[in-house]
Amino acid sequence: MKVICPNCLATNNVPKLEVYKKANCGKCKESLLDPHPIALSSDTIDAILESTDVPVIVDFWAPWCGPCKAFAPTFQQAARAYPLRILFAKVDTEAEQFLASRFKIRSIPTLIVFKNGEEVERVSGAMSDEDLDAFVERFL
């Protein structure tokens, strides 16, 4: 399956497994198991959404948004829990206003799930750890 390196954004082919102990990028040699969500921009979003075989969950947020700040650790924890099974990414709607407009973001935080480059679901509002886990499990 094709996955994106969170460090250099290169596309990598890796075998599909339930659990990964080690997986490194063929280009930069960094771990593909990096637990941090990828920051997306207008320059990178399309290539990333279209170059991965795993579902991508994008958190649209803003630095001035209280609920966004409160939700960030929950989103980070989920990113650590599903390496190479779900790609977690973030879009700062303040810095990327074009993307906020393109994806018709009306409130933040908003999560959009993409499969094969297409939006399959969206939900607005911060979630608890349990609610986010249940949401993510639906796309595995």
Side-chain angles (χ1 to χ4, degrees):
M1 83 180 155
K2 295 184 301 185
V3 296
I4 301 296
C5 174
N7 298 294
C8 71
L9 305 180
T11 302
N12 290 265
N13 288 314
V14 296
K16 189 172 185 174
L17 304 172
E18 279 298 313
V19 177
Y20 295 87
K21 293 183 181 180
K22 182 178 177 183
N24 291 337
C25 175
K27 183 177 179 184
C28 73
K29 310 301 182 212
E30 294 293 323
S31 177
L32 295 174
L33 303 176
D34 186 334
H36 299 92
I38 296 172
L40 299 179
S41 69
S42 297
D43 296 334
T44 61
I45 193 166
D46 291 324
I48 289 173
L49 293 178
E50 295 168 4
S51 298
T52 185
D53 291 334
V54 299
V56 180
I57 299 179
V58 181
D59 175 18
F60 289 84
W61 68 285
W64 50 263
C65 169
C68 297
K69 288 185 196 179
F71 179 62
T74 301
F75 194 72
Q76 175 70 39
Q77 181 178 339
R80 281 193 298 269
Y82 300 95
L84 297 180
R85 296 172 60 206
I86 301 265
L87 177 63
F88 289 83
K90 296 180 79 73
V91 171
D92 177 349
T93 58
E94 192 73 14
E96 295 291 338
Q97 293 180 10
F98 171 76
L99 290 179
S101 175
R102 175 180 162 192
F103 290 103
K104 298 175 178 61
I105 302 302
R106 303 287 181 244
S107 65
I108 50 176
T110 291
L111 298 182
I112 300 180
V113 181
F114 296 90
K115 283 189 174 182
N116 303 316
E118 299 293 324
E119 180 178 335
V120 294
E121 184 146 352
R122 126 183 350 220
V123 63
S124 294
M127 294 186 212
S128 67
D129 293 343
E130 298 80 17
D131 290 341
L132 182 57
D133 283 340
F135 181 74
V136 169
E137 288 288 331
R138 294 178 22 215
F139 303 100
L140 292 177

